[in-house]
Amino acid sequence: VCATPGHTMGCVTYVTGDGPDQPQPRMAFTGDALLIRGCGRTDFPGGSSQQLYKSVHSQIFTLPKETLLYPAHDYKGFSVTTVGEQMLYNPRLIKDEETFKNIMENLNLAYPKMIDVAVPTNMVCGFQDLEPKAN
């Protein structure tokens, strides 16, 4: 389990091992940190473009180039890519850190509906009401 914060504080990437009993090529399940030719937005509570850039470059782009990457979702119907492909063709993450930060700050995405409910709920493992109810 590799910490890959930036989209949110709690993002992780699950990577298969490199031992002989592990699947080959290696696989990584990147959640929303790295999408196919994209990445998760960084304007959510706890998000950080600087942190996401560092997470991807230090935790994902250091894996072998043939490592299969499976993002949480894709809006164009793709389901798998490789580290090597993303290092060559990811239009955001092949840029330098300052350019990446500028791109992410200027996406002009609509504020997600229910994000102010969803993020706090996720932070407490789905429990929306932690106060005991009187009988």
Side-chain angles (χ1 to χ4, degrees), residues 31-47:
D32 284 346
L34 180 70
L35 304 175
I36 296 174
R37 299 199 183 182
C39 62
R41 59 195 290 172
T42 58
D43 61 340
F44 285 172

Side-chain angles (χ1 to χ4, degrees), residues 29-77:
F29 301 88
T30 60
D32 284 346
L34 180 70
L35 304 175
I36 296 174
R37 299 199 183 182
C39 62
R41 59 195 290 172
T42 58
D43 61 340
F44 285 172
S48 164
S49 58
Q50 180 180 17
Q51 198 170 37
L52 181 59
Y53 188 89
K54 289 181 180 181
S55 291
V56 170
H57 283 267
S58 69
Q59 298 295 325
I60 299 172
F61 282 1
T62 57
L63 294 168
K65 287 184 171 71
E66 66 275 5
T67 302
L68 300 174
L69 301 177
Y70 295 90
H73 57 87
D74 181 79
Y75 297 111
K76 296 179 181 157

Side-chain angles (χ1 to χ4, degrees), residues 38-126:
C39 62
R41 59 195 290 172
T42 58
D43 61 340
F44 285 172
S48 164
S49 58
Q50 180 180 17
Q51 198 170 37
L52 181 59
Y53 188 89
K54 289 181 180 181
S55 291
V56 170
H57 283 267
S58 69
Q59 298 295 325
I60 299 172
F61 282 1
T62 57
L63 294 168
K65 287 184 171 71
E66 66 275 5
T67 302
L68 300 174
L69 301 177
Y70 295 90
H73 57 87
D74 181 79
Y75 297 111
K76 296 179 181 157
F78 300 114
S79 60
V80 64
T81 184
T82 64
V83 169
E85 180 180 319
Q86 293 310 299
M87 290 176 73
L88 289 173
Y89 301 115
N90 191 302
R92 297 178 185 171
L93 289 159
I94 61 173
K95 309 287 191 213
D96 63 83
E97 187 175 344
E98 191 59 36
T99 303
F100 175 78
K101 182 179 172 191
N102 189 46
I103 290 168
M104 298 308 288
E105 288 175 354
N106 292 291
L107 291 176
N108 298 317
L109 299 171
Y111 196 72
K113 295 176 184 172
M114 303 296 291
I115 193 71
D116 294 324
V117 173
V119 170
T121 301
N122 288 346
M123 297 298 289
V124 292
C125 298

